Amino acid sequence: MNRTPPALPEVLALLPTTAATQHLTRGVLTGQEDPPRVALQRASKPIGASAARWHTAPVRELVEEAMRRFADARTRADAWLAPRLHATLRMTRAEAADPELWNFMSLVVAPDYVVWRHTGAVTSTTSRPTAPADRFVGVAHKHAFARLWWAAEMFRDGEDYRSAEFACGNQDVLHTALRLNAIDHRPTALALLQVLANLAARKVSHLGDHVNALASEINIVRSTLMYDVIAPVEPPDTDAVLEWIAEAETAPPVPLNSLPDGPRDGRVPKTSVDALVKIFEKVHEESPHLRRRAATVDNAGAGVSLAKPGI
Amino acid sequence: MKTLMPYPTVVGDIDVTIEKVALDGRDLPYSMISRNERVVALHEVERAEWEEARIALRVSLPEREIEAGPWTDVVCVAILTEGATNARLARPLRKRTDGAWVGSVPVSRTLHRTRASLTVSVVGTVGGVAGRVIGAADAAWVIDLTARAPERKKELNIVEIDFAASDEEWLIKLKESPWLVDTSGEMPTVYLNTGFEGLAPLLNGARSEMEKSARGLVASQIAGDAWTAMFHAAVSDLEIGDDGTPQVPSGWRESVLRQMLPDVIPGASLADALLEVHERRTDGQGWSALQTYIHHAAAKRARIPKYVRTAVRALDRAEDSER
């Protein structure tokens, strides 16, 4: 990859999945080849009205900074990048639900990041390790960039990204909790994180196991308890979101060493989070699920690690 | 409620009526609301740029049962969700003096993309536990942000386009194909190549018996391809639940699987057939043997046997008349 690739397009565009998949060759997945930028751009559709928020340069800078900062610990890039990506690519959920935007991000704007972040360990000497295709073109909770944007969106508390940063610092939250329908209810998402923070403060071992157990407990209990009634929350203030998006025109680049501010679309009432934390902690303590899992992990011997580097 | 709960639940009907839908404060014509199909079509040509819709609903509960039952603090909530945007919004309804529960739910353009689902749940305190789900409306209403008419079934897009003159590069490359099936988007799409000489006139303007039978053959062939592609797309996108079994997907994927699985794995329940197909696909055992049945199921849906027979007979008759 030492020849200069064609220039990065200035604005984001929408890349249809069919066209994206076609160029997902083995060479691209291993990082040996660059995706054909010119062909991909030709296959893309314009994103609509021109706006600063769709500029590629700020995103590109972030991605490069992430690769520099976390060269030795790439999983840790998630917690750093998620809130900053969210505050740079300002958009509504309806816009973020378009897979074509994410296809363009991964194949045209930053394929090098996808390979850097998601290429698995070398397993054999003959074949080169590849990044899984669904990190380039895939569902939101798998896609290299969509998962970070959505994690920031689902786990932030109004303008406060601290909870999202904490969530993305745990790979199991990103793996398991992000695909849980239950977290669509904001107090549930924050209560889940609070329970984990409490467990982490007690220095429990195998925190990842707790995440997985909690996720299934929350799901099971949800079939008989209506969290929305136990822990009410106002709908998000959509005007505040639109205002925050409009501010992207004049906003400076996001800070690299402190957290940016998200949209002021309303905080989740603490009473609601507390009510759910109480329920989740009780269920979790009584969970046979966890005991069984903990037992299997212990029996499996010292070779088992719950950290999943590179996945 | 279908699931068995470890506490008493409401047995009687919970009936949801959409009374009114307003787009940015302006009432939507009643023709955009279909009670039979439980669909609200929010797409209006004249108001493409709407920001918020407000759905007013009325719910009737089996009041006598609820009063006599073991539940206290009974409330009724409307819940609007959309999977694609992870949106979830719960609005409490209030009880009117006549016993009906009423309220409204906002549908924001920023939070919803294509289809939102509106459900109603009844919640109360049972045996000292607050917040128990004690009942739910039987079926959800679909709030369709893209439809111009309130119809539930929308399973396939058909796009007639000249591949060679298209803006999409991948189509240009495939300009020799008479048709293509694309299942990667939100809705499966059949692209008919109007640049393929004679295809459009054949499909749209067949007149003689021979032409008509040729049209039937081609159309059923296209449909067969579409069914096969949709089946494969639906089984490759399956989400796996916490218990390790594949979940029945939603939208067109559900519909395709429901229609085809009985022919692919005969005699099995939907869940069992889904598990069987998923296992065969992921571990490769018996996956190729299954192709025959997938092909059979697709051909049956596409009515290929019927059109082939019609075409053969038309040929026979043409030969007879030439003799």
Side-chain angles (χ1 to χ4, degrees), chain B:
Chain B
M1 305 196 68
K2 282 149 213 139
T3 333
L4 219 57
M5 299 294 192
Y7 51 85
T9 53
V10 176
V11 182
D13 282 343
I14 296 165
D15 212 24
V16 181
T17 310
I18 303 275
E19 298 216 296
K20 196 171 85 168
V21 178
L23 273 190
D24 289 337
R26 217 189 54 159
D27 286 357
L28 202 68
Y30 206 72
S31 63
M32 304 297 272
I33 304 168
S34 162
R35 189 164 161 70
N36 285 343
E37 307 244 0
R38 288 203 182 87
V39 174
V40 176
L42 280 186
H43 186 95
E44 248 201 308
V45 199
E46 303 83 47
R47 289 189 64 83
E49 294 298 311
W50 63 271
E51 283 169 8
E52 188 185 90
R54 204 156 259 281
I55 298 177
L57 67 162
R58 188 186 70 226
V59 179
S60 68
L61 303 182
E63 238 183 299
R64 258 180 291 171
E65 185 192 352
I66 287 181
E67 263 164 35
W71 311 286
T72 53
D73 311 318
V74 173
V75 291
C76 195
V77 277
I79 294 158
L80 183 75
T81 55
E82 182 173 355
T85 58
N86 297 313
R88 180 181 180 90
L89 199 137
R91 298 309 287 158
L93 304 179
R94 61 170 199 284
K95 195 175 178 183
R96 260 189 343 211
T97 43
D98 66 352
W101 291 76
V102 292
S104 75
V105 181
V107 185
S108 162
R109 207 50 181 296
T110 67
L111 287 175
H112 294 280
R113 184 174 176 85
T114 40
R115 289 175 159 220
S117 163
L118 181 65
T119 57
V120 168
S121 288
V122 185
V123 178
T125 301
V126 199
V129 181
R132 286 288 199 203
V133 183
I134 58 172
D138 278 342
W141 275 76
V142 171
I143 315 298
D144 194 325
L145 281 80
T146 56
R148 295 198 171 137
E151 290 161 7
R152 204 178 187 99
K153 289 207 179 67
K154 196 174 171 196
E155 280 153 20
L156 190 67
N157 277 335
I158 295 179
V159 176
E160 293 192 24
I161 183 174
D162 182 353
F163 289 9
S166 143
D167 293 334
E168 308 231 14
E169 198 200 355
W170 68 277
L171 274 181
I172 302 176
K173 275 197 200 138
L174 303 173
K175 64 180 180 204
E176 318 253 294
S177 285
W179 66 83
L180 291 170
V181 184
D182 175 13
T183 52
S184 65
E186 276 161 15
M187 192 76 67
T189 303
V190 172
Y191 289 95
L192 291 180
N193 190 357
T194 53
F196 192 94
E197 234 168 80
L199 180 69
L202 176 69
L203 289 176
N204 300 326
R207 240 169 266 141
S208 71
E209 192 189 359
M210 279 304 283
E211 279 173 355
K212 279 183 186 156
S213 64
R215 177 188 64 190
L217 271 183
V218 172
S220 63
Q221 191 67 51
I222 297 174
D225 284 359
W227 279 103
T228 309
M230 292 194 304
F231 185 84
H232 279 280
V235 285
S236 25
D237 297 343
L238 288 177
E239 284 270 332
I240 308 302
D242 289 325
D243 55 355
T245 62
Q247 307 290 299
V248 178
S250 57
W252 63 266
R253 291 179 177 84
E254 175 185 5
S255 154
V256 164
L257 292 175
R258 276 189 194 280
Q259 292 184 65
M260 285 178 74
L261 279 176
D263 285 319
V264 176
I265 311 276
S269 72
L270 181 68
D272 288 351
L274 202 57
L275 183 62
E276 171 89 27
V277 168
H278 175 69
E279 280 178 348
R280 290 212 201 181
R281 184 179 167 273
T282 41
D283 65 18
Q285 294 278 344
W287 177 238
S288 51
L290 208 57
Q291 298 307 310
T292 316
Y293 291 92
I294 297 174
H295 186 81
H296 160 73
K300 188 171 155 188
R301 298 260 95 71
R303 286 180 244 157
I304 288 179
K306 178 187 150 191
Y307 285 109
V308 171
R309 180 164 300 151
T310 315
V312 170
R313 289 198 180 144
L315 268 179
D316 282 350
R317 275 194 291 275
E319 275 176 17
D320 286 348
S321 61
E322 270 167 29
R323 265 184 218 136

Side-chain angles (χ1 to χ4, degrees), chain A:
Chain A
M1 285 215 277
N2 45 13
R3 72 202 151 72
T4 344
L8 179 71
E10 268 176 43
V11 283
L12 288 170
L14 304 173
L15 175 60
T17 299
T18 325
T21 319
Q22 272 189 335
H23 294 288
L24 220 47
T25 59
R26 199 175 161 76
V28 169
L29 295 177
T30 57
Q32 285 167 296
E33 286 164 27
D34 292 325
R37 204 173 251 176
V38 176
L40 287 166
Q41 265 181 273
R42 214 179 298 136
S44 301
K45 301 172 286 190
I47 202 162
S50 82
R53 62 190 179 122
W54 301 130
H55 287 179
T56 55
V59 196
R60 186 65 221 172
E61 264 167 42
L62 275 185
V63 163
E64 282 172 17
E65 179 64 25
M67 291 193 278
R68 213 168 15 245
R69 278 185 183 227
F70 302 98
D72 301 326
R74 50 201 174 125
T75 46
R76 282 179 46 216
D78 294 345
W80 184 86
L81 188 52
R84 289 169 179 86
L85 178 73
H86 187 267
T88 301
L89 263 184
R90 297 189 184 186
M91 53 186 161
T92 63
R93 286 190 178 198
E95 288 169 329
D98 189 347
E100 300 188 344
L101 173 82
W102 299 114
N103 293 341
F104 193 86
M105 267 296 293
S106 54
L107 275 151
V108 179
V109 179
D112 50 343
Y113 177 86
V114 184
V115 170
W116 173 80
R117 173 64 186 82
H118 292 289
T119 299
V122 184
T123 47
S124 74
T125 42
T126 43
S127 66
R128 261 174 176 267
T130 57
D134 58 8
R135 300 298 189 176
F136 278 95
V137 176
V139 288
H141 61 82
K142 288 277 179 74
H143 188 281
F145 295 107
R147 73 199 262 275
L148 297 179
W149 193 97
W150 280 105
E153 173 69 14
M154 305 305 291
F155 289 113
R156 69 185 168 84
D157 184 10
E159 67 273 26
D160 188 350
Y161 281 121
R162 278 176 303 177
S163 42
E165 190 183 37
F166 172 75
C168 297
N170 184 314
Q171 289 300 306
D172 289 280
V173 173
L174 280 176
H175 278 285
T176 316
L178 194 56
R179 38 188 290 200
L180 212 63
N181 286 337
I183 65 157
D184 295 355
H185 177 237
R186 297 192 298 149
T188 300
L190 294 182
L192 165 69
L193 297 180
Q194 185 60 55
V195 174
L196 287 179
N198 294 350
L199 287 166
R202 276 170 35 205
K203 300 210 168 24
V204 298
S205 54
H206 306 305
L207 193 62
D209 254 17
H210 288 275
V211 178
N212 294 324
L214 255 173
S216 19
E217 289 150 21
I218 288 176
N219 237 1
I220 292 166
V221 174
R222 192 168 98 114
S223 58
T224 64
L225 283 188
M226 180 65 82
Y227 297 156
D228 308 79
V229 171
I230 297 168
V233 63
E234 282 299 305
D237 178 349
T238 49
D239 286 343
V241 175
L242 292 173
E243 207 172 286
W244 179 76
I245 291 173
E247 280 166 12
E249 284 304 312
T250 52
V254 290
L256 300 179
N257 295 319
S258 57
L259 281 175
D261 284 337
R264 296 177 189 280
D265 57 348
R267 304 288 284 251
V268 176
K270 195 170 174 304
T271 46
S272 287
V273 178
D274 289 346
L276 290 177
V277 167
K278 236 166 83 188
I279 294 174
F280 295 167
E281 286 194 327
K282 183 160 178 282
V283 175
H284 189 58
E285 259 160 39
E286 295 163 358
S287 163
H289 199 155
L290 180 69
R291 258 174 258 140
R292 199 174 59 236
R293 278 196 183 208
T296 20
V297 170
D298 289 344
N299 293 344
V304 178
S305 160
L306 284 158
K308 294 169 185 152
I311 300 179

